[in-house]
Amino acid sequence: MAAFYPLPVTQDLPTLRTKLQGLLRFLRDALSISNAHTVDFYTESVWERLVDLSPETVLAALKPAARAEAEAEARFSEARPLLGAEAGSGITDFPRIFCETSQRLVDVEAFALAAKCCSVQNLGICTSLEQLLAALRGNKKQRTGENLKPNEFMNMKKSHEVQAMSELICSIADYYGIKQVIDLGSGKGYLSSFLSLKYGLNVYGIDSSNSNTHGAKERNRKLKKHWKLYHTQSRVDVNGMALKMAKEKKVQHEMKYKVDTEKVCNSSSTKQEKMTNSDFLPDYSGSVISDIRIQMENLHTQPYEEENLCFVDAFSLIDFLPVDAIEPVSSLQISNREMSEANKGRRKMVSQTSESNIYSPLTSFITADSELHDIIKDLEDCLMVGLHTCGDLAPNTLRIFTSKPEIKGVCSVGCCYHLLSEEFEKEHKECTEEKWGFPMCQYLKEEQWCCGHNARMSACLALERVTLGQGLSTESLFYRAVLQDIIKEYYGITKCSQHVGKIYSKCSSFLDYVRRSLKKLGLDETKLPETTIMDYYEKYKPRMKELEAFNMRH
Ligand SMILES: C[S@@+](CC[C@H](N)C(=O)[O-])C[C@H]1O[C@@H](n2cnc3c(N)ncnc32)[C@H](O)[C@@H]1O
């Protein structure tokens, strides 16, 4: 249990408070920008209200940065001393960002710089994953295969998340000698099954959705069948399989790289998304790889109902094999006799590891007051984890952690911040909820801090995607904002309960967009002449740049 490196020390409370105060100072002015909705861009005069600059100035300052992140990084590093945050007043050292009287944005470069300095990474309050892993592992060998690369079957994002998180969870579990893990909001069990099959942990996956639990059970049952299939192929040379898999992975990698590149270029992913594993794989018909592949395909063509955030995913068998099941290709050079002895030993190990894997998917809606003993009969010292814990599930995970002595550690990554319940949001004043998702800390409670729904929605956007221009197109936002003015002026409606949805890509023109949207909203589109629709378009077209510039705020 003892590590050679001490665990990183968290900063003391006064330091954290000072940093939080600096962040709040910036956010107090910046939140109005984060909370503005592009749908209301023209109807609520968002640009005039919030920005005291020309759209061209904003675009000139932000566009190059968006296109060349590296350049921005360099500028940021140069400018960072400005912050002097460690010692002093943080972002107050920036030139004036907002006008004191009008509160409008007057310096976009300082705004971007301050936002960057206020990011979680740059506030200097976090411990890096590498540092934490080094401290947890100490001089111990990593239990799993450093030589196993992220798999190519799985959606890249999911693969990255599951692998990075599993590694950390396994290190914490090893450090504290823990075998039991509770995965809250486990969905279809990607993380849970990975932790159990690859790391031999006993995992309880809890999800509020029954269909997810069923899906997870079915998926796990099939994965276990793969294990059996793998073991019964005893005549198959494990090394040979490793070589084939390595070759296969290389080809997949090349093909996947090609597909990804094409995806970025065409920005049309529909076709690729429908591809099955066989679209990426070379032909190994008749081999064990082919059997495995067929089974893997069956596994992934199961029509599971997608709820919440869903991912196109698939695990390759190689990623479920314990590290000792697959020998590095270089071992092919050893003699046949040595190899057969090695294979015997290896098969034994694989068999032992697979039989000790336990993953139990359960259905339960978790709240801050959930009694884990009622849900898990053999609850013991455990870790509580969660990948993409939606809305209030993330804060409630932390609350459960602090209240249950059996839970020795927590590793949770929240998501869907728009689903967080906010205590100080005006709309919810009449609500009598006791445990709000936000804020959790006493300091923010005293401040009665509120982020607001739109700001939380913005927080869900993947910055990398927006930076690469993979967010919503300016034209689609423009169409929606102009439509809002038509709805307001022509139909006298300010609040719609219906949503227009994602129809932009299906429309041939602005006219088509407006007609289809009005139909969808249940409004009589026949009373609106074509010329009127086009008049609105012409009226706002010169101001499209404002919207483009405003959208760069992310
Ligand atoms: C975004 S999904 C993540 C699923 C899975 N962890 C993953 O990464 O693929 C969030 C999951 O949490 C579940 N969930 C949300 N709130 C919950 C609650 N209060 N108790 C239990 N499960 C919850 C949802 O049903 C959903 O499956």
Side-chain angles (χ1 to χ4, degrees), residues 179-203:
K179 282 293 286 176
Q180 191 178 74
V181 172
I182 301 169
D183 180 8
L184 295 186
S186 50
K188 289 171 210 147
Y190 306 126
L191 176 67
S192 297
S193 49
F194 197 79
L195 286 170
S196 115
L197 280 171
K198 186 166 173 182
Y199 293 86
L201 292 161
N202 299 337
V203 185

Side-chain angles (χ1 to χ4, degrees), residues 101-152:
T101 43
S102 71
Q103 309 297 319
R104 294 201 295 169
L105 178 69
V106 288
D107 188 335
V108 69
E109 271 142 349
F111 175 78
L113 206 56
K116 206 148 207 182
C117 289
C118 288
S119 68
V120 174
Q121 298 96 310
N122 293 319
L123 274 176
I125 52 172
C126 296
T127 304
S128 76
L129 181 62
E130 293 72 24
Q131 206 187 341
L132 190 55
L133 286 174
L136 287 167
R137 285 191 199 129
N139 63 341
K140 275 188 282 182
K141 267 199 170 165
Q142 201 184 347
R143 178 143 52 113
T144 58
E146 288 111 312
N147 54 345
L148 289 187
K149 296 277 174 289
N151 81 61
E152 288 79 16

Side-chain angles (χ1 to χ4, degrees), residues 299-331:
L299 184 72
H300 303 305
T301 48
Q302 292 302 308
Y304 294 148
E305 190 186 321
E306 291 293 345
E307 295 186 2
N308 306 297
L309 290 182
C310 50
F311 306 92
V312 181
D313 67 281
F315 284 94
S316 87
L317 183 62
I318 201 166
D319 288 296
F320 280 104
L321 299 178
V323 64
D324 36 19
I326 301 284
E327 191 76 348
V329 176
S330 59
S331 72

Side-chain angles (χ1 to χ4, degrees), residues 33-70:
I33 288 186
S34 304
N35 266 314
H37 206 300
T38 47
V39 166
D40 307 311
F41 193 76
Y42 298 121
T43 50
E44 294 189 4
S45 309
V46 168
W47 187 265
E48 299 90 313
R49 253 190 323 113
L50 301 177
V51 189
D52 196 8
L53 296 161
S54 73
E56 288 77 14
T57 309
V58 174
L59 283 170
L62 297 184
K63 244 193 164 168
R67 286 212 183 115
E69 184 63 16

Side-chain angles (χ1 to χ4, degrees), residues 388-498:
H388 292 302
T389 40
C390 295
D392 286 0
L393 185 58
N396 286 340
T397 300
L398 298 178
R399 287 187 172 116
I400 297 172
F401 165 63
T402 56
S403 67
K404 303 279 182 290
E406 294 88 352
I407 305 168
K408 300 297 175 197
V410 67
C411 185
S412 170
V413 177
C415 79
C416 300
Y417 309 114
H418 59 293
L419 298 177
L420 269 178
S421 61
E422 275 203 84
E423 185 171 359
F424 301 105
E425 201 161 31
K426 283 190 202 81
E427 288 82 20
H428 299 308
K429 269 282 176 274
E430 69 283 358
C431 238
T432 51
E433 196 154 336
E434 272 173 36
K435 294 195 172 126
W436 296 90
F438 184 88
M440 286 189 82
C441 78
Q442 201 50 43
Y443 176 59
L444 289 182
K445 276 185 189 293
E446 282 162 17
E447 291 273 315
Q448 303 216 340
W449 187 267
C450 171
C451 292
H453 182 264
N454 291 341
R456 283 183 280 114
M457 282 288 276
S458 298
C460 296
L461 293 173
L463 274 185
E464 293 77 5
R465 253 183 218 172
V466 178
T467 310
L468 288 174
Q470 292 172 350
L472 290 174
S473 78
T474 303
E475 192 177 64
S476 74
L477 297 173
F478 174 74
Y479 279 13
R480 184 63 189 89
V482 180
L483 173 75
Q484 192 68 2
D485 200 27
I486 296 176
I487 294 169
K488 186 181 169 194
E489 279 190 355
Y490 209 84
Y491 293 87
I493 296 169
T494 44
K495 279 247 175 289
C496 273
S497 52
Q498 302 268 61

